Amino acid sequence: MDISPKVRLFVDVPLAVGAPVALEQSQAHYLLHVMRAEIGTPVALFNGQDGEWAARLTATSKRGATLVADRQLRLQQPEPDLWLLFAPVKRARIDIIVEKATELGVSALFPVFTRHTAMTRVNEERLRAIAQEAAEQCERLSVPTVQTAGPLDGLLAGWQGDRRLILLDEGGGGRPIAEALAGQTGGPAAILVGPEGGFAKSELDALRRLSFACPVGLGPRILRADTAVIAALSCYQAMCGDWRTPSGVRS
Amino acid sequence: MDISPKVRLFVDVPLAVGAPVALEQSQAHYLLHVMRAEIGTPVALFNGQDGEWAARLTATSKRGATLVADRQLRLQQPEPDLWLLFAPVKRARIDIIVEKATELGVSALFPVFTRHTAMTRVNEERLRAIAQEAAEQCERLSVPTVQTAGPLDGLLAGWQGDRRLILLDEGGGGRPIAEALAGQTGGPAAILVGPEGGFAKSELDALRRLSFACPVGLGPRILRADTAVIAALSCYQAMCGDWRTPSGVRS
């Protein structure tokens, strides 16, 4: 009988037939003590490179667990090259941003400091753990990277001009997002969402002048930063990204 | 000098020049003790019918506060006739659904029980308070209604056929959402999002057969219910709703 795995884990090691996989302590704890896995329990594994694999638990110790990969379940698929640049917000909402951006298929997350950003520190490790857990849950084949937080200016100074920057222009000057995205192809792109207090006027003026920037508007209501992130990513994926093709019937 | 109000409140009374407005106790507490308003402090008011008004605080008492409306700031605008039907989920995520749906311009929220809905009770009053607060924050001119929770079957039995039902088909059988929404006008619509466990197969088959149902897909990843709600509403507003027109430069 073919039992489909109930647990899905990201592991940072190569996956191939017969490859042994030693879990780090927190994953072993989750598998053994939260999910109550036993020797032989099937587990799905992915590493961002080798697709998804069916593995089974072969050994446990006081602090660890070892799995062996049996067969490939899915091939690695190309994913949209879509970055999210966001001004860090307070804890509950930054967690929502990272979780949702992962579900919505972002490839890299950049916490960026703007003039009016209230937060001055970001715990990137915590955000990486949230992204990994969200990737495990949403059946992604990769985990987005979480970059070290830094000033927006510096990131834009080294920008590659072929990556379009979709700027959420809360000043109301942007084109309606569906109009701006219509007919666009899915090349490298980034979405930039400012802080809850908005961009400084001079900062917004400078952003609008960037040759690679595309200022867009999200309607007449004021959206919170986390809502704006999810809204813009959804519109992008629906119109330019990997939601354009039917996803196929799931079992 | 014209001071723009920092506080914005929904009140359920008519608004006109010189109209007195007595605040109920919790709003009075918020205005006086959280926002530290004093006699003369400007406050923005809306009631879902008469647009937005500038008012000022004219009297306070131990448990209340009275305002007088001075002048209209914005005319009432027509809003999309867009319902959200959603299977209730656990507390943190149902709060997110109501807050975000309000920001995204839903006109009515219907908590609906499906076969696999884990929750059996909904606190509609709490959800109404969340919707009102979100409406006050996002500068909406209305508060969406929160209907009494009930079975999905019953709601669909009395459905008016001219209201399109956009069904989030997590089974993977739906058309890509941008393709399904392209060229649609913004007539009466509803978006239906199932429970975290998904619809029952027989239930989903029956939904797909409804003449007014339009099954759509949201890409290859599994979205949580709250993510799916925000994603679908955003795509609808961007392509069929009130995000299609430029929102105008905000001061």
Side-chain angles (χ1 to χ4, degrees):
Chain A
M1 199 175 83
D2 198 38
I3 302 166
S4 73
K6 285 186 188 147
V7 181
R8 197 169 176 274
L9 299 174
F10 172 82
V11 291
D12 197 12
V13 296
L15 293 170
V17 175
V21 177
L23 293 186
E24 45 96 358
Q25 197 175 337
S26 67
Q27 284 186 321
H29 173 81
Y30 170 75
L31 184 62
L32 300 178
H33 303 297
V34 180
M35 299 305 291
R36 298 179 182 279
E38 298 173 347
I39 298 294
T41 293
V43 175
L45 301 177
F46 66 108
N47 63 3
Q49 305 205 316
D50 300 318
E52 185 176 56
W53 287 75
R56 73 206 131 73
L57 181 60
T58 53
T60 68
S61 65
K62 190 144 188 174
R63 307 195 151 209
T66 305
L67 306 165
V68 171
D70 281 332
R71 65 193 164 84
Q72 196 174 36
L73 299 170
R74 287 194 287 160
L75 291 170
Q76 193 73 27
Q77 299 289 333
E79 293 176 337
D81 180 1
L82 177 60
W83 293 358
L84 174 68
L85 280 53
F86 65 102
V89 289
K90 63 186 176 185
R91 181 157 173 164
R93 291 189 191 268
I94 203 172
D95 292 358
I96 292 176
I97 286 175
V98 174
E99 176 186 294
K100 301 314 187 198
T102 303
E103 288 178 52
L104 296 171
V106 153
S107 55
L109 288 147
F110 293 78
V112 291
F113 298 117
T114 66
R115 303 263 172 88
H116 293 172
T117 302
M119 312 282 290
T120 55
R121 297 186 62 164
V122 172
N123 183 340
E124 290 90 353
E125 276 313 305
R126 197 170 57 82
L127 300 185
R128 286 182 190 118
I130 292 169
Q132 180 174 322
E133 192 182 326
E136 289 169 348
Q137 297 263 337
C138 77
E139 306 202 1
R140 262 181 85 136
L141 291 173
S142 64
V143 177
T145 61
V146 176
Q147 307 291 320
T148 304
L152 176 60
D153 289 353
L155 186 59
L156 294 178
W159 200 259
Q160 301 283 320
D162 64 340
R163 181 177 297 275
R164 201 153 38 107
L165 182 68
I166 298 163
L167 163 67
L168 295 201
D169 188 339
E170 88 281 1
R175 290 169 72 195
I177 190 166
E179 183 187 308
L181 296 179
Q184 299 282 355
T185 58
I191 289 174
L192 168 60
V193 182
E196 295 276 340
F199 292 106
K201 181 163 184 322
S202 60
E203 192 175 34
L204 190 55
D205 287 343
L207 286 167
R208 288 170 176 157
R209 280 194 299 268
L210 295 170
S211 62
F212 46 82
C214 171
V216 302
L218 294 176
R221 289 165 295 276
I222 308 294
L223 304 184
R224 285 180 183 273
D226 53 340
T227 316
V229 164
I230 307 170
L233 289 173
S234 300
C235 292
Y236 181 89
Q237 292 288 32
M239 298 188 69
C240 308
D242 65 5
W243 295 6
R244 285 177 303 164
T245 44
S247 50
V249 177
R250 296 193 182 101
S251 58
Chain B
M1 200 174 83
D2 200 38
I3 302 168
S4 74
K6 286 187 186 143
V7 181
R8 197 169 176 275
L9 299 174
F10 172 83
V11 292
D12 198 11
V13 296
L15 293 170
V17 175
V21 177
L23 294 186
E24 45 96 358
Q25 197 174 338
S26 67
Q27 284 186 322
H29 173 81
Y30 171 74
L31 184 61
L32 300 178
H33 304 297
V34 180
M35 300 306 291
R36 298 180 182 279
E38 296 173 348
I39 298 294
T41 293
V43 175
L45 301 177
F46 67 108
N47 63 3
Q49 304 206 316
D50 301 318
E52 185 176 55
W53 286 75
R56 72 207 131 75
L57 182 60
T58 53
T60 68
S61 65
K62 191 145 187 173
R63 307 197 152 208
T66 304
L67 306 165
V68 170
D70 282 331
R71 65 195 163 84
Q72 197 174 36
L73 299 170
R74 288 195 286 161
L75 291 170
Q76 192 72 28
Q77 299 288 333
E79 294 175 337
D81 180 1
L82 178 60
W83 294 359
L84 174 67
L85 281 53
F86 65 103
V89 289
K90 63 185 176 186
R91 180 155 173 167
R93 291 188 192 270
I94 202 173
D95 292 358
I96 292 175
I97 286 175
V98 173
E99 176 187 294
K100 301 313 186 199
T102 302
E103 289 178 52
L104 296 171
V106 153
S107 55
L109 288 147
F110 293 78
V112 291
F113 298 117
T114 65
R115 304 265 171 88
H116 293 172
T117 301
M119 313 282 291
T120 55
R121 296 187 63 163
V122 172
N123 183 340
E124 289 91 350
E125 275 313 305
R126 197 170 57 81
L127 300 186
R128 286 181 190 121
I130 292 169
Q132 180 174 322
E133 192 183 325
E136 289 169 348
Q137 297 262 338
C138 77
E139 307 203 0
R140 263 181 83 137
L141 292 173
S142 64
V143 177
T145 60
V146 176
Q147 307 291 322
T148 304
L152 176 60
D153 289 355
L155 185 59
L156 294 178
W159 199 260
Q160 301 282 322
D162 64 340
R163 182 177 296 275
R164 201 152 39 106
L165 182 69
I166 299 162
L167 164 66
L168 296 201
D169 187 339
E170 88 281 1
R175 289 168 73 193
I177 189 166
E179 182 187 309
L181 295 179
Q184 299 280 356
T185 58
I191 289 174
L192 168 59
V193 182
E196 295 275 340
F199 292 106
K201 185 169 182 316
S202 60
E203 192 176 34
L204 189 55
D205 287 343
L207 286 167
R208 287 170 176 157
R209 279 196 299 269
L210 295 170
S211 62
F212 45 83
C214 170
V216 302
L218 295 176
R221 289 165 295 276
I222 307 294
L223 304 184
R224 285 180 185 273
D226 54 340
T227 317
V229 164
I230 308 170
L233 289 173
S234 300
C235 292
Y236 182 89
Q237 291 289 32
M239 298 187 69
C240 308
D242 65 6
W243 295 7
R244 285 177 303 164
T245 44
S247 50
V249 177
R250 296 191 184 102
S251 56

